Amino acid sequence: MKNDDVHSFFLVVVLVLAAALSPAVATAAQWQLLKSSIGVSAMHMQLLPNDRVVVFDRTDFGPSNLSLPDGRCRDDPRDWTLSHDCTAHAAEYDVATNAVRALTLETDPWCSSATLDPDGRLVQTGGANDGERAVRYFNPCFDCDWKEEPAGLAAPRWYATNHVLPDGTAIVVGGRSQPSFEFVPKNRITSAVVLPLLRDTNDHGELNNLYPFVYLNVDGNLFIFANNRSILFNYNTNTVVREYPPTPDGDPRNYPCTGSSVLLPLPPSGDNVQVLICGGAPRGAFVKASTQKLFVGALKTCLRMGINDPSPTWSIETMPSSRVMGDMVLLPDGDEVLIVNGAAAGSAGWELGRDPVLAPVGYRPGAPAGVRFEVKTPTTVPRMYHSSAVLLRDGRVLVGGSNPHAFYNFTGVDYPTDLSLEAYSPEYLAPEKAELRPRVVAAPKDLVYGERFTVRFDVAAVNEKQVRVTMLAPSFATHSFSMNQRLLILEAEETAPAVEEDEWVYEVAVVAPRSAFIAPPGYYMLFIVNGGIPSEGIWVHIQPQ
């Protein structure tokens, strides 16, 4: 077949696919069971730049369903449940091989926090009991295991939030009975610093300000949201730059009235920085569920605000269904936020959620108000308290967890402990769209702030004016919040056929993020998006300035 004939053939295929994918017959997303059990519950998950996912729960659950290798055991007289334990409470999941490797934790990381450092090492902080001041490190290498500093934090951190800063340092914000912040490593200040916002938003008997939502703004300050209030905070001078309006309904959105939040995709200019917060539970829901066994309906609203607007205000949108303990995942096309997991009633906490929400919802921030939500294909697995979700480099969303009990309870409860992993495949991964999915064939692995670089990709059919390049930071997911989740839409020139290459190869010139305020140093997944269909991502790295 001649080249002209080949081109005509593929053009016909693409036209047929485009007709088949009209809104009237939209392709459904798919769920796939990857592992019926990985031995531990996915209370916490982090994708590493070697395409492996670190998964862990807590050391004082009792014995897990995953044995430590080589007859190893953990002996800890301070453990609340099992002082001699030969089972693992952390695992490494290999995406490529679908295999699980047991990892050894010495201190308890229950309800902890984490970030990746600029070299891709997982820096994991806090927890409970003997782990409340621990700093744990995990390198992304073939047979690495945890390294721990039991007294690495200045203050106990249980239910705190981490965020990477422009110099690669992690800031650790909040925690139970800790209205303060500190840095890891301690290259700024060695002590904890009081943060009045957390002191002032602590509801007596209910808290509602744990796991605060923290984002790096493009001016270098931090947006911090706790309970129903938020500030723009200069962590260098310990000053509040700006106070934002409280939420219109006055209801809390943080643990245990747990909503979820994302920073919406950042455009090349860095302008129009917007925060989205969805779901949660009404004030008092935790007390009613825990003391009266009254499970009130979850919130059905999303709140959205431009944090750099001259007069910022919250706009309110209504989801198709109520949801507490949901997870929000930015998809690599830059067009959609996935809302998955959670319950329709109750609150976070042991046995306090009811009515699992099985159907994810997509939110398209660029669509007109009123038509931004779309209900997706449901799963069959309830994902209640202690569930999590992270994006994989191939564009799937890894979903796991659900352990709303003090121990591993597999029978005799409303929602048994779940040790499985599922993959959610959005519509852009449907077989019918395979011909439209680009493949990156050449790109630099190391990027320099503000420098121009070229990405080459091949695809059967391309709309040269509808190609974009996105970069997404892998996040640490726990308790309905993905720390450090950040998606950048890069400045790009018009796509053109690559010179002296096969006729299906194209190239696009791109400008790397212009500063560490926009993209903190570290590893990112870079995607070519062809008319809304993302490629498989490639790992790229930005060194600290």
Side-chain angles (χ1 to χ4, degrees), residues 414-457:
D414 290 331
Y415 306 106
T417 298
D418 195 286
L419 308 181
S420 69
L421 286 182
E422 293 179 284
Y424 172 83
S425 295
E427 292 89 337
Y428 55 64
L429 292 176
E432 304 94 300
K433 298 189 179 182
E435 295 291 342
L436 305 176
R437 193 175 195 199
R439 180 179 67 93
V440 177
V441 296
K445 301 296 184 185
D446 295 297
L447 305 183
V448 177
Y449 287 109
E451 286 198 356
R452 184 178 181 272
F453 65 98
T454 299
V455 181
R456 288 191 173 187
F457 62 97

Side-chain angles (χ1 to χ4, degrees), residues 95-364:
V95 175
T97 64
N98 201 38
V100 174
R101 181 171 69 94
L103 303 174
T104 306
L105 282 166
E106 296 296 338
T107 58
D108 189 3
W110 177 22
C111 300
S112 52
S113 51
T115 186
L116 294 183
D117 73 8
D119 293 328
R121 180 178 62 164
L122 180 59
V123 181
Q124 204 275 313
T125 53
N129 193 16
D130 59 358
E132 63 184 6
R133 294 185 61 225
V135 178
R136 308 171 192 86
Y137 302 93
F138 189 89
N139 279 309
C141 61
F142 177 71
D143 58 354
C144 286
D145 211 333
W146 292 99
K147 305 293 184 184
E148 304 194 29
E149 296 179 11
L153 294 174
R157 299 289 173 187
W158 194 21
Y159 300 88
T161 295
N162 290 16
H163 201 294
V164 64
L165 299 176
D167 65 354
T169 300
I171 189 170
V172 189
V173 182
R176 190 182 289 265
S177 302
Q178 292 299 331
S180 64
F181 65 92
E182 61 180 286
F183 303 97
V184 176
K186 293 180 171 60
N187 55 3
R188 292 173 175 272
I189 188 171
T190 59
S191 61
V193 182
V194 171
L195 183 60
L197 174 72
L198 299 180
R199 180 194 60 207
D200 299 341
T201 54
N202 183 7
D203 290 343
H204 180 69
E206 194 168 24
L207 304 174
N208 285 330
N209 67 352
L210 300 183
Y211 281 121
F213 305 141
V214 180
Y215 300 109
L216 178 66
N217 192 14
V218 295
D219 63 1
N221 296 309
L222 292 176
F223 175 86
I224 304 176
F225 180 99
N227 197 317
N228 64 355
R229 291 174 50 191
S230 50
I231 60 172
L232 191 62
F233 183 69
N234 186 325
Y235 56 88
N236 289 306
T237 61
N238 193 23
T239 56
V240 176
V241 177
R242 188 176 209 178
E243 293 188 13
Y244 295 98
T247 59
D249 55 15
D251 282 320
R253 303 284 176 152
N254 297 95
Y255 181 93
C257 287
T258 303
S260 189
S261 178
V262 292
L263 188 72
L264 291 177
L266 293 173
S269 63
D271 297 335
N272 196 24
V273 179
Q274 297 195 44
V275 168
L276 179 70
I277 301 172
C278 290
R283 190 175 306 280
F286 173 79
V287 172
K288 290 177 181 177
S290 57
T291 64
Q292 306 172 35
K293 299 304 177 186
L294 177 62
F295 305 100
V296 300
L299 299 175
K300 199 176 183 179
T301 53
C302 289
L303 307 176
R304 180 169 166 175
M305 181 173 65
I307 64 175
N308 294 329
D309 290 352
S311 300
T313 57
W314 292 105
S315 61
I316 304 176
E317 300 177 76
T318 303
M319 296 188 291
S321 59
S322 303
R323 193 183 303 252
V324 62
M325 299 180 290
D327 286 276
M328 296 173 69
V329 180
L330 295 170
L331 298 184
D333 56 8
D335 290 328
E336 188 170 36
V337 181
L338 183 73
I339 309 172
V340 66
N341 299 338
S347 80
W350 302 133
E351 319 289 351
L352 300 185
R354 292 294 185 273
D355 303 330
V357 182
L358 300 178
V361 168
Y363 175 84
R364 294 191 174 273

Side-chain angles (χ1 to χ4, degrees), residues 435-506:
E435 295 291 342
L436 305 176
R437 193 175 195 199
R439 180 179 67 93
V440 177
V441 296
K445 301 296 184 185
D446 295 297
L447 305 183
V448 177
Y449 287 109
E451 286 198 356
R452 184 178 181 272
F453 65 98
T454 299
V455 181
R456 288 191 173 187
F457 62 97
D458 62 15
V459 67
V462 63
N463 185 327
E464 296 175 6
K465 295 184 179 181
Q466 292 189 10
V467 170
R468 63 164 53 162
V469 183
T470 64
M471 279 175 51
L472 200 151
S475 57
F476 177 77
T478 189
H479 290 75
S480 302
F481 185 51
S482 290
M483 303 173 195
N484 307 293
Q485 186 173 209
R486 194 176 191 89
L487 190 145
L488 314 170
I489 300 172
L490 300 187
E491 180 182 343
E493 298 177 1
E494 189 169 319
T495 301
V499 179
E500 297 179 357
E501 286 282 356
D502 183 90
E503 63 181 306
W504 309 116
V505 178
Y506 300 84

